[in-house]
Amino acid sequence: MSMNAGGRGSGGRSNSGKGRAGANRSGANRAGQGRSGARKRDDRTQQGQPGGTPNPRGSRGNRNPGGEPQAKQGGGGETRRNSKGHERNRKAVKDRAFSASAPSQRARTADRARAVAFEVLSAVALDDSYANLVLPKAIRSARLDARDAGFATELTYGTLRNQGTYDAILAHCVDRPVAKIGTKILLVLRLGVHQLLAMRVPDHAALNQTVALARAEIGTGPANFVNAVLRRVSERTPEDWYALIVDEAPDELTRLALEKSHPAWVVRSFRQALAAHGRNPGEVEALLDADNASPVVNLVALPGLGTLDEARAAGAEEGPLVEGSALYSAGDLARLESVREGVVRAQDAGSQLVARALADAPLEGSDNNWLDLCAGPGGKAALLGALGTQRGARLLANEAADHRAELVRRSLAPLPSASYSVIAGDGRQIERTVAAGTNLPESMPADVRFDRVMVDVPCSGLGALRRRPEARWRKSPRDIAELLPLQLDLFKAAASVTRPGGLIAYVTCSPHTAETQSIVHDILRKVDVTLLDSGAALRAVARKDEAGASALSGELDPAFTPEAPKGATLAEGATTAQLWPHIHGTDAMFFALFRKN
């Protein structure tokens, strides 16, 4: 979340009258003191219920004249009593803070929109799921109307994007490291903080409903803890909280990481990537802000198979970068018949551009056999296949994992069955797989050498953090280091089955220097290929204005001229191309086009 003045953007609200004493730097008077409900440990079963032996005497706990600490029922921290059995340090009744609602008025069950958000965050945190895949199903299952679906969507994605910032705020409101809080409790707390600091939700509603969510999904003890912590959060304005955590940052990198809610290593990588692709590293703040903005859904109609007429009738607008694309913001895509039929689908404009650039790049000689080496989940393969079908080309789509290969089959299903084939196998062994001649498209020989090859390698996905905000918290520099040998090996394998003069597109959804310019450098040193003008290939397929100028010309030109390693072959005007969320409104897609020598 950006922490500039206002904090909430259009969702801001007045916080006049809120005190500043709620969360101090020293940690004194934090949730967890006395009867606030904070827990010293989190011993819960998989069902989310407090662990340990139930207290037979109810919520008051066993009196302990010896003064030894007693664990509260529900795991709400420790209660210390004096020799008379009275709770130590307990405030007088006149000094205690009580809920504004009578017990009979407090919500006991979570509303459906918040329950959906919690369900999705739990799947992301506990099952390594992706929110963009889980959320639509959860919304449909809960039968949310458009208003509640919008609320659940903003609550889910906003909480995921701003997780790092919210954890820094929560650290001032609890009596333990945030990492020691139980996973489900922490998820509920983040949901509550997002409502308090970044949405148009009154404090009393955010508190009441979030505590009810904790009570329904986790238990009464954790709900008391959530109530105490969120009351601490509500005592400061968003501006005060952001100023506090930014002031504590020891350096500029940490400041940006906290302010823009990205891991510090990602911020550093983005700065380096901007410089490596010929842009000003000072753009990093704009790039981070673009990552935190909700992306508009891009639609593509498969050429020769579908049209965007239905989407336009539902309010979709023409896409600014690509012909045959549209921007859609009218709700659930599944309501469109063309989407249900598979001839119109959601696909980022950057993905559309790189697929079209490979398909339309000038090529001498035969143009019948195309290969998508790493085809899952199938979006680019479907667009390539549709474009190829119009020219009589056949597509072989390879995917290493069987379950992802099945996704590719579903994605390609609207195409004529004789125009493509899907195989499951290690892309590094594609030459052996093709030589076996099993399940190749009709009339494609076993000794085929391909004319156009897409190598959309497995990558860090740092270019798609707008659509997959949870990815920023899952990745590490080690992940990238482990991917680099695979990325180079996949390109080598692609080159081994490409005919001389054939085209190979190296594509990543990441701007990271190691996955882009460094791999291109290695390719030029180790593979007998020539780098072409990749920027020109993208400009050629972008939308044109009335004067014929490409939408990717001028300030939007993604081209960059890399340094050539000794002995490398570069075509005249050779470039790589990098798209950016803050410049082009796309994922940070990298594209390098090669011709096999």
Side-chain angles (χ1 to χ4, degrees), residues 263-283:
W265 76 268
V266 172
V267 178
R268 183 187 303 109
S269 297
F270 281 175
R271 271 182 172 168
Q272 295 168 346
L274 286 162
H277 296 289
R279 301 203 67 89
N280 184 346
E283 296 176 16

Side-chain angles (χ1 to χ4, degrees), residues 31 170 173 188-196 206-208 210-211 224-235:
L170 288 169
C173 302
V188 173
L189 287 173
R190 290 168 180 162
L191 288 169
V193 175
H194 187 64
Q195 294 170 69
L196 288 168
L207 286 164
N208 188 39
T210 306
V211 171
N224 294 336
F225 174 59
V226 168
N227 180 57
V229 174
L230 292 184
R231 287 186 181 279
R232 294 298 183 199
V233 174
S234 70
E235 289 172 353

Side-chain angles (χ1 to χ4, degrees), residues 262-351:
H262 283 67
W265 76 268
V266 172
V267 178
R268 183 187 303 109
S269 297
F270 281 175
R271 271 182 172 168
Q272 295 168 346
L274 286 162
H277 296 289
R279 301 203 67 89
N280 184 346
E283 296 176 16
V284 68
E285 290 201 40
L287 173 55
L288 297 172
D289 284 338
D291 267 354
N292 287 334
S294 299
V296 178
V297 175
N298 282 263
L299 298 180
V300 60
L302 295 182
L305 297 171
T307 73
L308 293 170
D309 293 344
E310 183 188 15
R312 294 191 188 100
E317 301 176 356
E318 294 295 328
L321 292 182
V322 196
E323 296 285 352
S325 71
L327 305 180
Y328 183 81
S329 56
D332 189 359
L333 282 176
R335 297 171 184 170
L336 301 180
E337 183 178 358
S338 55
V339 172
R340 294 195 299 271
E341 292 175 349
V343 295
V344 172
R345 67 265 313 277
Q347 186 174 50
D348 183 74
S351 295

Side-chain angles (χ1 to χ4, degrees), residues 113-427:
R114 289 177 175 85
V116 163
F118 177 78
E119 175 187 342
V120 175
L121 293 188
S122 296
V124 169
L126 302 176
D127 303 326
D128 285 337
S129 299
Y130 284 101
N132 66 323
L133 301 179
V134 177
L135 180 60
K137 297 177 183 177
I139 288 174
R140 287 194 289 271
S141 177
R143 299 182 181 276
L144 300 186
D145 60 23
R147 182 173 179 272
D148 283 346
F151 183 90
T153 299
E154 163 56 26
L155 185 55
T156 299
Y157 283 115
T159 301
L160 285 172
R161 290 189 187 101
N162 295 297
Q163 173 178 316
T165 301
Y166 294 161
D167 285 359
I169 290 171
L170 288 169
H172 287 269
C173 302
V174 296
D175 60 347
R176 75 201 72 175
V178 170
K180 296 292 186 180
I181 300 174
T183 299
K184 289 189 175 183
I185 298 176
L186 184 56
L187 295 178
V188 173
L189 287 173
R190 290 168 180 162
L191 288 169
V193 175
H194 187 64
Q195 294 170 69
L196 288 168
L197 303 186
M199 295 182 73
R200 290 181 177 272
V201 179
D203 283 4
H204 68 86
L207 286 164
N208 188 39
Q209 290 297 324
T210 306
V211 171
L213 175 66
R215 184 179 296 114
E217 299 289 345
I218 313 174
T220 300
N224 294 336
F225 174 59
V226 168
N227 180 57
V229 174
L230 292 184
R231 287 186 181 279
R232 294 298 183 199
V233 174
S234 70
E235 289 172 353
R236 289 180 182 263
T237 67
E239 295 78 12
D240 287 344
W241 275 120
Y242 303 150
L244 173 61
I245 63 173
V246 167
D247 287 348
E248 292 179 332
D251 51 48
E252 179 68 5
L253 184 67
T254 307
R255 179 190 72 79
L256 280 174
L258 287 170
E259 184 176 353
K260 307 300 183 181
S261 199
H262 283 67
W265 76 268
V266 172
V267 178
R268 183 187 303 109
S269 297
F270 281 175
R271 271 182 172 168
Q272 295 168 346
L274 286 162
H277 296 289
R279 301 203 67 89
N280 184 346
E283 296 176 16
V284 68
E285 290 201 40
L287 173 55
L288 297 172
D289 284 338
D291 267 354
N292 287 334
S294 299
V296 178
V297 175
N298 282 263
L299 298 180
V300 60
L302 295 182
L305 297 171
T307 73
L308 293 170
D309 293 344
E310 183 188 15
R312 294 191 188 100
E317 301 176 356
E318 294 295 328
L321 292 182
V322 196
E323 296 285 352
S325 71
L327 305 180
Y328 183 81
S329 56
D332 189 359
L333 282 176
R335 297 171 184 170
L336 301 180
E337 183 178 358
S338 55
V339 172
R340 294 195 299 271
E341 292 175 349
V343 295
V344 172
R345 67 265 313 277
Q347 186 174 50
D348 183 74
S351 295
Q352 297 179 44
L353 283 167
V354 298
R356 288 182 179 273
L358 172 61
D360 288 1
L363 174 67
E364 295 182 0
S366 64
D367 195 10
N368 301 318
N369 300 308
W370 296 8
L371 170 67
D372 189 344
L373 185 64
C374 310
K380 297 183 190 70
L383 183 52
L384 275 176
L387 292 167
T389 297
Q390 292 182 312
R391 298 188 221 163
R394 298 151 300 200
L395 175 70
L396 179 64
N398 179 78
E399 171 54 44
D402 288 334
H403 72 282
R404 285 173 61 86
E406 181 58 33
L407 295 177
V408 178
R409 291 186 184 94
R410 296 177 190 173
S411 186
L412 291 170
L415 277 64
S417 59
S419 68
Y420 71 91
S421 185
V422 179
I423 57 176
D426 187 338

